[in-house]
Amino acid sequence: MVNQFVHLKTKSHYSILESSIKVDDLIDRAVEDNMPAIALTDTNNLFGAMEFTKKALEKKIKPILGANILVEWYEESHNVKTLYNITCLIMNEQGWQNLSILVSTIYKNLQEYNYKFVSLEDLIKYNEGLIILYDDVDANIPLHKDSMIYILAKKLKDVFGDRIYLSLFKKYKDQQSIKENNILDLSINLDLPLVCTNKVSFLEKEMLDAQDCLMCIDQSTTVTDSKRKKPIAECYFKSTKEMLMLFNSMEEALINTVNISKRCNFLLKDSK
């Protein structure tokens, strides 16, 4: 019976205007819940890496460093350039060096092209030492084998091998969305392992309104704007018990949260 879970997708206040979670609070919550490890995956940056590592070690919980990055892929047969969200987790020193290069490239591209991204070619070039979690699939129409998403997943598997997992996010226990079905189809057709995640952006479910205000600031709008992008109510720090209940029919995907944490063994050291 599964009795452990590790959050592998969390954002802190270093994800500017995406989360207000302080690193201390994130770690404290994981410790309170007896999680064996916790990952920090801020958007397009590693700014919190040193603080996160030090404070996790102080609290005797294993820190996993990573980042959520935007990867741009030009697919020739469709003549389309698309951005995909991919979460990278650091396994070792090589992974730290490679993700640092990728994050630096994001900001170089921002200066040159006026938006943040790395190319798929760069991700492939600097793949060593990284585990990736992939879930950026269509949420509106069923997947087919000629789709860009299917082709991309196959490309990533060819490069990352056993270091790619398909990431499942559930809003409600008894509802299966088109996106979830597409991820399950990818898993079956490409023999890719699944892992359960929750996209943690705020600590308590009661903080939803505050998260909404934060996102309004990011969009330069107000809560009266009905067309604004709204936060997902389920993206709070769910306990192990909540996650086990939510994914109780997917034991292997739950176990993979712990398996992945065991594969990530990099500790960032202070250069001082």
Side-chain angles (χ1 to χ4, degrees), residues 65-167:
L65 296 177
N68 189 66
I69 63 175
L70 278 174
V71 178
E72 185 176 79
W73 178 41
Y74 172 66
E75 209 287 299
E76 293 182 6
S77 63
H78 291 81
N79 194 29
V80 174
K81 189 180 287 186
T82 311
L83 289 170
Y84 296 90
N85 277 293
I86 293 179
T87 301
C88 299
L89 300 175
I90 296 169
M91 301 175 71
N92 49 39
E93 177 69 34
Q94 185 65 63
W96 167 256
Q97 292 176 11
N98 281 338
L99 188 53
S100 297
I101 291 170
L102 290 170
V103 167
S104 296
T105 302
I106 286 171
Y107 288 92
K108 288 177 184 176
N109 287 340
L110 175 63
Q111 289 183 323
E112 186 171 350
Y113 302 102
N114 209 30
Y115 65 102
K116 297 175 184 178
F117 75 97
V118 291
S119 68
L120 178 61
E121 291 74 19
D122 280 335
L123 178 62
I124 289 171
K125 181 178 179 181
Y126 298 107
N127 79 87
E128 289 185 23
L130 297 175
I131 288 173
I132 60 170
L133 311 182
Y134 176 65
D135 72 346
D136 202 348
V137 305
D138 205 307
N140 300 307
I141 58 173
L143 202 62
H144 57 85
K145 291 186 178 181
D146 294 325
S147 69
M148 289 180 62
I149 291 166
Y150 189 94
I151 296 168
L152 176 58
K154 191 173 185 309
K155 277 180 174 288
L156 291 172
K157 182 186 178 183
D158 290 342
V159 173
F160 284 86
D162 68 351
R163 292 179 290 118
I164 175 174
Y165 293 78
L166 295 177
S167 170

